[in-house]
Amino acid sequence: MHYSVLLDESIDALSVKSDGIYIDGTFGRGGHTKALLKKLSDKGRLIAFDRDPNAVNYAKSHFTQDNFSIIHAPFSSMKDYCQRHGLLGKIDGVLLDLGVSSPQLDEAVRGFSFSKEGPLDMRMDPTQGIPASEVLITHDEQALADIFRTYGEEKHAWKIACAIKKHLDDGQTLTSTTELADLIYQSIGKREKKHPATRCFQALRIYVNQELEELKKALGDMLEILAPKGRLSIISFHSLEDRIVKRFMVGNIQGEQKNLPRHLPLVNTFKPKFKWIIKKAKADSNELDENIRSRSAILRAVEKIA
């Protein structure tokens, strides 16, 4: 079953106008989209993006409203879409749920979960890029260690990378999720509550899908996309994402913090581009009881200053 994390809070943060134009940049299985459409009149409009073909097909078969459209593309392409359709600066709200959708995690064939036997793929759009199994083959020890360390904050990155390359150099295969999970377990053992493969699987997924680069691109375009007083509501699920989101929001509200000499006379010329709607919100106990995957979710929301 798919649960939309922080559903009410993220939608409320947008202060939806019934005749407004909104973007759900991460359709998934449409939980947030469904809630947004309930708040829109026939004059309102909702545009959803997803790079997963399964999600796009689901949207086309389950959401037939005239004021809804689904775009098979990553959310980093929002600006290009708005530019082509004369919508730059006219979007009243953008919602981004940065988590992997439950169907992606639950369907073994997608290769996102180390707890299910499946091909080591991890691509959100299987028609683009290379699968995780190819990354393990084509990257050397240093490159793999950098991926595990940078995107998974894995302190045993070098040891795991060396174990992977030795395994492959010995002529053994590494094409399934459980093969990789077992190899990581064998190389470092179970040293904490989490499965030892957790961080490496996160790292590979982020790298394969270029998730942080996609996020940075979308955020960089947001001021051009949003209308005056347009709102941005973002749910992140790990510190790497949230750090980028927070830095973007704080930077456009308070300005960049620069290390300048003391007592230097400065004229403050910075003008805030956003204001806070929600600095930080997390799932309450009721939601945690219903969906344990919401435990790491963080919601932040801002409004563009006219």
Side-chain angles (χ1 to χ4, degrees):
M1 182 180 291
H2 177 70
Y3 292 92
S4 297
V5 175
L6 291 162
L7 177 62
D8 293 338
E9 295 88 341
S10 60
I11 300 298
D12 290 346
L14 293 175
S15 188
V16 177
K17 298 185 291 185
S18 63
D19 59 349
I21 306 173
Y22 292 86
I23 291 177
D24 180 351
T26 49
F27 175 82
R29 279 301 180 268
H32 291 101
T33 286
K34 184 177 181 180
L36 277 167
L37 284 169
K38 285 181 178 179
K39 292 181 174 289
L40 294 177
S41 68
D42 292 340
K43 294 181 179 179
R45 183 176 174 189
L46 178 57
I47 306 156
F49 288 75
D50 207 297
R51 53 179 168 174
D52 186 337
N54 291 345
V56 173
N57 291 335
Y58 182 90
K60 288 178 177 179
S61 62
H62 288 77
F63 291 78
T64 57
Q65 296 91 327
D66 291 337
N67 61 348
F68 171 75
S69 54
I70 179 72
I71 312 301
H72 181 205
F75 59 70
S76 62
S77 65
M78 284 187 289
K79 179 184 172 182
D80 293 338
Y81 177 89
C82 290
Q83 203 160 27
R84 290 196 308 270
H85 293 83
L87 295 174
L88 270 185
K90 298 180 181 180
I91 304 300
D92 294 299
V94 174
L95 173 67
L96 299 177
D97 176 354
L98 302 177
V100 181
S101 71
S102 296
Q104 287 173 332
L105 288 170
D106 295 337
E107 293 172 9
V109 70
R110 304 303 301 274
F112 286 99
S113 175
F114 51 77
S115 63
K116 294 179 173 63
E117 172 76 32
L120 194 56
D121 195 311
M122 298 192 187
R123 289 173 295 174
M124 291 180 177
D125 184 348
T127 68
Q128 302 289 327
I130 63 172
S133 58
E134 286 294 313
V135 173
L136 300 182
I137 294 170
T138 58
H139 292 53
D140 63 18
E141 287 93 341
Q142 188 59 61
L144 288 179
D146 288 344
I147 290 171
F148 297 149
R149 191 177 297 112
T150 302
Y151 300 116
E153 300 177 301
E154 174 54 68
K155 58 185 177 182
H156 303 294
W158 178 252
K159 187 173 184 180
I160 294 168
C162 289
I164 288 170
K165 297 310 291 187
K166 183 180 185 306
H167 182 90
L168 293 171
D169 290 343
D170 288 344
Q172 300 182 74
T173 62
L174 203 52
T175 57
S176 79
T177 52
T178 51
E179 282 179 337
L180 177 58
D182 290 344
L183 181 60
I184 294 171
Y185 188 96
Q186 291 165 16
S187 65
I188 64 172
K190 188 170 178 60
R191 306 187 181 198
E192 53 187 69
K193 290 182 179 179
K194 288 183 180 180
H195 190 286
T198 302
R199 292 189 176 90
C200 289
F201 268 66
Q202 172 187 294
L204 279 172
R205 191 202 78 223
I206 291 172
Y207 180 77
V208 164
N209 296 291
Q210 296 293 290
E211 293 177 29
L212 302 188
E213 288 73 20
E214 291 281 317
L215 177 58
K216 291 174 184 176
K217 169 70 168 62
L219 292 175
D221 294 338
M222 205 54 64
L223 280 164
E224 294 181 76
I225 292 170
L226 288 171
K229 296 188 177 180
R231 293 191 174 188
L232 172 63
S233 181
I234 302 182
I235 305 167
S236 58
F237 286 82
H238 56 75
S239 60
L240 297 175
E241 292 172 339
D242 185 55
R243 200 174 297 140
I244 292 170
V245 172
K246 182 180 178 182
R247 187 179 297 130
F248 167 78
M249 291 180 174
V250 171
N252 281 288
I253 291 172
Q254 300 177 3
E256 297 293 334
Q257 302 299 314
K258 298 179 179 178
N259 295 319
L260 297 172
R262 290 183 179 181
H263 312 303
L264 186 68
L266 295 173
V267 177
N268 185 8
T269 58
F270 174 76
K271 293 183 179 180
K273 301 174 183 66
F274 288 104
K275 68 177 183 179
W276 284 113
I277 300 301
I278 297 176
K279 282 190 176 182
K280 183 178 182 179
K282 302 198 76 173
D284 60 24
S285 57
N286 291 332
E287 182 168 354
L288 289 172
D289 289 341
E290 187 175 356
N291 179 21
I292 192 61
R293 287 176 181 168
S294 65
R295 66 186 180 280
S296 58
I298 293 175
L299 169 67
R300 300 183 190 273
V302 292
E303 180 182 293
K304 180 181 173 181
I305 296 174

